[in-house]
Amino acid sequence: DTEVTQTPKHLVMGMTNKKSLKCEQHMGHRAMYWYKQKAKKPPELMFVYSYEKLSINESVPSRFSPECPNSSLLNLHLHALQPEDSALYLCASKHLAGYYNEQFFGPGTRLTVL
Amino acid sequence: LAKTTQPISMDSYEGQEVNITCSHNNIATNDYITWYQQFPSQGPRFIIQGYKTKVTNEVASLFIPADRKSSTLSLPRVSLSDTAVYYCLVGGDDKIIFGKGTRLHILP
């Protein structure tokens, strides 16, 4: 299994809602990532988990709360979002050992905040 | 992290070889050069990675000169389905930063 899956594919939420994005991989990767991508822009790194511990937080607002319950799962909890948070949210994973820098990306969750 | 500079966009025709050059003047000794491809509304997909000289796989070649301050992604005999954004990234640890990318448009 060489796939990263993300659910849901699309999400529409109001500014007062609480929702979660889910990411899953079964490749034995111990690094997992959240990226945010706006239209016609490159992906922007949000969070990195290494061995299930948060290792990098790129100064992301607290309305985004990541969670890594185990080595295969990564969640992104959303609360009190703003319309400008509407974007494609991408999850990725990779091996930590060795130099090879290949990240495997999921298809993303298209988030719309009303 | 080394900053990368690529052309914003390129056009080419089906069947041609396409070369996209990326400059990374402040690349560190332990940095690798990696290229990703992204189609609209999909996650990026790894294409190729190298450290120096030339690397070739089934879809592309990567040419890196001795000073490693630039690299060139070569796509042989492109087709319409190669229309995408191509990102050059430089790094060596678990944190990678995407540059602005090159929008490649293949014409019939």
Side-chain angles (χ1 to χ4, degrees):
Chain A
D1 185 359
T2 58
E3 201 179 34
V4 175
T5 59
Q6 291 188 244
T7 53
K9 286 190 175 179
H10 301 275
L11 178 63
V12 179
M13 59 187 290
M15 289 189 286
T16 58
N17 293 155
K18 283 186 181 180
K19 297 286 184 183
S20 296
L21 309 184
K22 180 180 171 182
C23 172
E24 195 164 0
Q25 57 87 16
H26 297 285
M27 295 177 277
H29 293 168
R30 303 303 295 276
M32 296 188 76
Y33 306 75
W34 280 114
Y35 290 85
K36 171 184 176 180
Q37 186 173 29
K38 303 281 272 185
K40 297 195 185 300
K41 298 288 186 184
E44 295 176 34
L45 183 66
M46 299 175 72
F47 302 104
V48 181
Y49 273 83
S50 301
Y51 297 107
E52 297 85 67
K53 290 190 184 340
L54 183 65
S55 59
I56 295 174
N57 176 342
E58 290 288 285
S59 302
V60 179
S62 60
R63 56 185 185 269
F64 296 91
S65 175
E67 178 198 19
C68 189
N70 60 56
S71 60
S72 300
L73 278 175
L74 186 66
N75 299 319
L76 186 62
H77 303 297
L78 314 172
H79 172 56
L81 294 194
Q82 304 297 310
E84 59 264 28
D85 296 321
S86 298
L88 180 68
Y89 287 84
L90 294 161
C91 173
S93 70
K94 87 173 190 68
H95 283 298
L96 273 173
Y99 62 82
Y100 213 57
N101 216 14
E102 178 178 359
Q103 289 193 4
F104 290 78
F105 282 82
T109 293
R110 175 73 61 190
L111 174 68
T112 302
V113 182
L114 302 175
Chain B
L1 290 169
K3 183 181 173 183
T4 59
T5 303
Q6 308 171 232
I8 293 174
S9 65
M10 293 178 66
D11 289 341
S12 187
Y13 291 92
E14 277 195 294
Q16 299 292 307
E17 178 184 77
V18 172
N19 296 311
I20 307 174
T21 296
C22 177
S23 68
H24 26 80
N25 290 319
N26 58 341
I27 188 169
T29 304
N30 59 347
D31 283 346
Y32 280 77
I33 299 152
T34 312
W35 286 79
Y36 284 81
Q37 174 193 56
Q38 188 177 25
F39 298 111
S41 296
Q42 292 186 26
R45 187 182 70 159
F46 174 90
I47 301 174
I48 198 166
Q49 182 182 68
Y51 183 80
K52 62 181 179 180
T53 63
K54 178 184 173 183
V55 180
T56 298
N57 62 22
E58 63 276 7
V59 298
S61 294
L62 179 59
F63 298 91
I64 305 168
D67 66 6
R68 305 201 326 123
K69 292 184 185 299
S70 67
S71 57
T72 299
L73 174 72
S74 181
L75 304 172
R77 296 181 299 281
V78 293
S79 65
L80 295 176
S81 62
D82 291 316
T83 293
V85 179
Y86 292 81
Y87 293 101
C88 163
L89 296 90
V90 172
D93 55 17
D94 62 343
K95 176 175 175 175
I96 61 171
I97 303 296
F98 284 81
K100 293 187 164 87
T102 297
R103 292 187 176 276
L104 177 64
H105 187 205
I106 305 301
L107 304 164

